[in-house]
Amino acid sequence: MSKFNYKYDSIKKIKETFEKITQKEVSALEKRIEELYLEKEKLTFRELQGKSDGERKKTTARDLQFRQGFSDYIQEMKDNLQERIEDLTREKEQKMKELIEKSKEVKIFKTLEEKHREYYTAEQNKIEMADLDEIALRKFSKE
């Protein structure tokens, strides 16, 4: 029995490679989103820390202006982070759609390979049965 050669094996491997690349891209986007959330939490903590530090001291008009400017700066930074998070989330959703499509393509080629393998095995069994029948006929005709 000869070895099974799947004629679309190279295409299947390329599709699997593209699927893995897309998985890595989705993973990188998820990691970056998590990092931005952590950064946003740090800013919130910093803002709260600044407010609590300001309450301990005597307050002057200049201190109030500084705290308000600091609070506005922190809020602007948080807003920028939120926009970046939303952009990355949209990009991640798009990559997830791509990943689903690529996974479907890989599955199609795997299913096709299974069908070709089944057909190949059936054909090899037919050939083997024909060879066994011929051997049996020869043996019977010698007797």
Side-chain angles (χ1 to χ4, degrees):
M1 192 158 129
S2 62
K3 183 181 175 195
F4 172 72
N5 289 322
Y6 179 51
K7 64 182 178 179
Y8 301 119
D9 194 43
S10 58
I11 296 172
K12 185 183 97 175
K13 286 180 182 176
I14 290 170
K15 297 283 186 187
E16 288 172 346
T17 303
F18 285 150
E19 181 186 27
K20 288 178 185 177
I21 289 170
T22 306
Q23 285 174 343
K24 287 179 183 178
E25 289 172 350
V26 168
S27 177
L29 286 170
E30 286 175 348
K31 183 178 179 183
R32 184 65 185 137
I33 290 170
E34 284 181 34
E35 289 171 355
L36 291 175
Y37 273 120
L38 287 174
E39 201 173 319
K40 189 175 175 185
E41 286 178 20
K42 286 179 185 177
L43 284 174
T44 303
F45 178 74
R46 215 168 136 196
E47 182 179 29
L48 292 174
Q49 190 178 24
K51 285 181 182 179
S52 66
D53 287 346
E55 292 171 357
R56 294 182 195 155
K57 301 177 188 177
K58 291 183 181 179
T59 308
T60 63
R62 186 176 184 142
D63 289 338
L64 287 174
Q65 286 178 338
F66 176 76
R67 273 193 243 140
Q68 184 61 41
F70 180 73
S71 181
D72 291 345
Y73 172 74
I74 294 290
Q75 188 59 44
E76 186 179 325
M77 296 273 294
K78 286 172 34 178
D79 291 343
N80 287 340
L81 285 174
Q82 187 60 38
E83 285 179 25
R84 288 174 42 200
I85 289 170
E86 290 170 1
D87 289 344
L88 289 175
T89 303
R90 281 191 292 274
E91 190 176 340
K92 179 187 152 199
E93 288 172 2
Q94 182 182 6
K95 289 290 181 184
M96 287 298 292
K97 288 177 184 176
E98 278 182 45
L99 180 61
I100 290 169
E101 286 298 317
K102 291 178 189 232
S103 296
K104 285 179 185 178
E105 291 173 0
V106 168
K107 188 170 181 171
I108 288 169
F109 275 94
K110 285 183 179 179
T111 305
L112 188 59
E113 179 180 18
E114 288 174 13
K115 288 183 181 182
H116 281 158
R117 187 178 302 276
E118 288 172 7
Y119 177 77
Y120 173 79
T121 304
E123 288 298 314
Q124 290 299 315
N125 286 340
K126 284 181 187 176
I127 292 170
E128 193 174 308
M129 289 301 286
D131 290 345
L132 290 175
D133 287 346
E134 188 175 326
I135 291 171
L137 281 174
R138 285 184 189 170
K139 191 173 187 182
F140 180 75
S141 65
K142 286 184 182 177
E143 293 177 359

